Amino acid sequence: MPQSADPALFPVLTAAEMDRLRPLAEAVRFADGETVFRAGEAETALFVVERGGIEVQNPAAGDEVIVTHGPGCFSGDIDLLTGRPVVVTGIARGPTEVLRVPFAKLRALLNKLPSFGEKVMVTITNRRAALSARGNLGIKVEGPGWCRGTNLVREFLYKNFVPYTWIDSEAGRERREHPPGGECALPRVDCGGGRVLVNPSLQELAKTAGVWRGCPTGTADVAVVGAGPAGIAAAVYAASEGLDTVLLDRLGPGGQAGGSSRIENFIGFPSGITGADLATRGVLQMLKFGARMVAPVAVDRVELPTDTNAAFGLHTDCGATVRAKIVLVAAGVRWRRLPAEGAERFEGAGVHYVCTAVESVLYDERDVVVIGGGNSAGQAVMYLAECCRSRRVHHVVRGKLAAAMSDYLVGRIRGAGNVSVHEGTEVAAVAGTSHFEAVELAPTGGGPRRTVACGAVFVFIGADPAADWLPKEVARDGNGFVHTGADVTRAGKWPLADRDPCPLETTVPGLLAAGDIRAGSTKRVGFAVGDGSLAVSCAHTLLAGRP
């Protein structure tokens, strides 16, 4: 691929940009054929070519040449900021001279040279998307699509933007009999370098894939629990304003929005953006400003401070404790499970609570069912209908379609030729022997059932707050959502006499809540992002009052 093929992927720095960069980088020489960087290396440097070239090879495809960077071009994709192992190898072509910026100094450089930093940020984001679209790259996941373990591994890698290639071990074969519920001895995960895992735990996979950087410890100004839109926004704003910030999540960035195939009502993206892309961009922003992200890690318990000037203790499932002056809870919600007969045994193997490319590719050209009347369900319906027009999408809604969904989505669903809307209907049962085969639909008011053959069901039927781990001192409403700000005051539950709570402060001073977990919040991405930025304003106010 010539470097001039796509300037969005392979921009050439100007002479002025090279002049500004040169005093801040180290000049390094490589002989022809010498390795500049190797696939599997973590925390790789940024290399900018002055003379010669760097040939980028894909080891997963027999050292296929992806591009040769010439003078003025730079290496790397988003792993320049994440520090995770790179998936390609760079070889010097001809006597090569480069400017080298070590990983530890890259963030400071991007902020010191903003125009260069902007070019790098846009380029590395575009490159990761292009690399992922190529396929046959990075980690190889082998396992059948009906297997719950295979799909969990794929979802984890997808959410944590780790490039991988999925090999369906039963593609083209007749479906064999399997234990109900999608249990299997696979997947087999080849991480390269002789590192092969079989049916790994997420923690084991995270360590081998380079996602896991160690159990979080130390003290931060702000600790954010939950890497959905509210948590990521808070981390971006807090870190950009000089606060030492750590972000923790039990699976990976994105939250509920990360499971969305397309978000069209978020400002700045008129053609829409996937939840995964939105999460990727937000994480790169927070890393650029110096925030830390740790996943997968769950907070088991919150140790409350002994006085208003002491730190919180976040006890994690990996055995360490993070201390923080301010804690923001942005853990979001968990989708309610489908209360249909037989649904539980097919979770992750026919019954799904997210709808992304990870799940949809499993059911190409097969009819599917989507349950729910909100925007998440509507987005899933249109995504599944448009990505494979030969299938029929059955949209099941307990009430009326327009009751809780944006008008633009209702219009599209009504006008789609391959969508059947079933109003006043619910899924009463899931049918299948060794694999998912059909659902039984029943009128919500009672009546005869009918069977609809399909490959999968995607469930968006409401959510419950992920707040069960919070201490009892944190007040909640009747549905378990966390009270904040004015609600705390009105309920007479604020414990301090010398000041009022911040708008996002809970009944525990210094403990904030934002996004979907907060009582009274609007369950939209834009609202969650606004909450995240407001949380940082609260944090500054509270930190200013500490000695």
Side-chain angles (χ1 to χ4, degrees), residues 96-460:
T96 299
E97 299 178 11
V98 301
L99 297 175
R100 178 181 181 273
V101 181
F103 173 79
K105 296 183 178 180
L106 180 60
R107 182 176 63 84
L109 177 70
L110 297 180
N111 291 315
K112 190 169 186 176
L113 302 178
S115 62
F116 172 69
E118 179 182 359
K119 184 172 288 188
V120 169
M121 293 294 290
V122 171
T123 301
I124 64 177
T125 303
N126 291 338
R127 282 181 184 171
R128 175 49 63 92
L131 282 172
S132 298
R134 290 175 67 92
N136 199 17
L137 186 78
I139 290 173
K140 285 186 167 55
V141 179
E142 182 179 359
W146 55 261
C147 175
R148 181 184 292 120
T150 300
N151 295 329
L152 181 60
V153 165
R154 293 174 62 237
E155 180 187 2
F156 176 79
L157 295 175
Y158 177 79
K159 282 184 72 73
N160 287 279
F161 26 88
V162 177
Y164 73 94
T165 301
W166 173 46
I167 302 167
D168 187 348
S169 59
E170 295 196 357
R173 304 181 190 176
E174 290 296 322
R175 189 183 293 272
R176 299 193 299 268
E177 288 298 309
H178 301 292
E183 299 295 347
C184 65
L186 293 172
R188 180 179 182 272
V189 184
D190 186 347
C191 298
R195 300 169 300 166
V196 177
L197 306 175
V198 178
N199 204 15
S201 67
L202 292 187
Q203 199 71 258
E204 182 184 11
L205 176 61
K207 290 177 181 177
T208 307
V211 173
W212 182 253
R213 309 301 294 275
C215 210
T217 57
T219 301
D221 292 324
V222 178
V224 183
V225 182
I232 293 175
V236 169
Y237 287 113
S240 68
E241 295 175 16
L243 298 179
D244 184 6
T245 306
V246 61
L247 175 62
L248 311 173
D249 195 273
R250 64 173 55 246
L251 183 60
Q256 295 296 322
S260 177
S261 53
R262 182 158 297 274
I263 301 167
E264 293 189 75
N265 57 356
F266 185 54
I267 189 170
F269 296 94
S271 61
I273 184 171
T274 68
D277 284 343
L278 185 64
T280 301
R281 293 173 187 231
V283 168
L284 291 180
Q285 278 184 289
M286 57 167 270
L287 293 176
K288 172 187 172 183
F289 291 123
R292 294 166 286 149
M293 186 180 71
V294 185
V297 63
V299 177
D300 291 333
R301 181 170 63 87
V302 180
E303 177 188 337
L304 301 184
T306 53
D307 60 65
T308 55
N309 293 320
F312 291 88
L314 301 180
H315 296 264
T316 64
D317 62 351
C318 61
T321 301
V322 177
R323 300 285 172 183
K325 300 172 186 176
I326 303 295
V327 171
L328 171 63
V329 177
V333 295
R334 301 189 182 105
W335 288 112
R336 292 176 189 147
R337 270 24 200 176
L338 178 62
E341 179 185 344
E344 184 176 354
R345 67 191 181 113
F346 290 110
E347 284 194 8
V351 176
H352 301 282
Y353 295 88
V354 294
C355 181
T356 68
V358 173
E359 296 79 29
S360 65
V361 73
L362 298 171
Y363 311 105
D364 281 349
E365 300 183 7
R366 300 177 68 189
D367 292 354
V368 293
V369 172
V370 178
I371 310 173
N375 275 13
S376 294
Q379 289 158 353
V381 168
M382 292 311 304
Y383 175 68
L384 292 165
E386 291 172 350
C387 71
C388 183
R389 294 188 180 276
S390 62
R391 70 155 56 107
R392 178 150 294 277
V393 180
H394 297 272
H395 189 184
V396 178
V397 187
R398 285 181 57 86
K400 292 293 184 182
L401 180 60
M405 188 181 295
S406 295
D407 184 66
Y408 77 93
L409 277 173
V410 174
R412 289 181 188 176
I413 291 170
R414 296 286 192 197
N418 60 337
V419 174
S420 296
V421 179
H422 306 269
E423 295 175 297
T425 305
E426 61 187 359
V427 172
V430 171
T433 53
S434 63
H435 61 278
F436 192 103
E437 296 174 350
V439 297
E440 291 185 9
L441 303 184
T444 53
R449 297 183 179 186
R450 64 190 182 95
T451 299
V452 173
C454 59
V457 59
F458 295 85
V459 186
F460 305 92

Side-chain angles (χ1 to χ4, degrees), residues 482-500:
V482 177
H483 280 308
T484 57
D487 288 341
V488 171
T489 303
R490 279 194 293 269
K493 297 180 180 179
W494 181 241
L496 302 182
D498 58 340
R499 68 172 180 86
D500 293 330

Side-chain angles (χ1 to χ4, degrees), residues 60-84:
D63 294 334
E64 170 197 16
V65 177
I66 296 175
V67 69
T68 298
H69 294 305
C73 292
F74 56 88
S75 65
D77 72 343
I78 66 173
D79 291 328
L80 285 173
L81 282 177
T82 66
R84 294 173 183 172

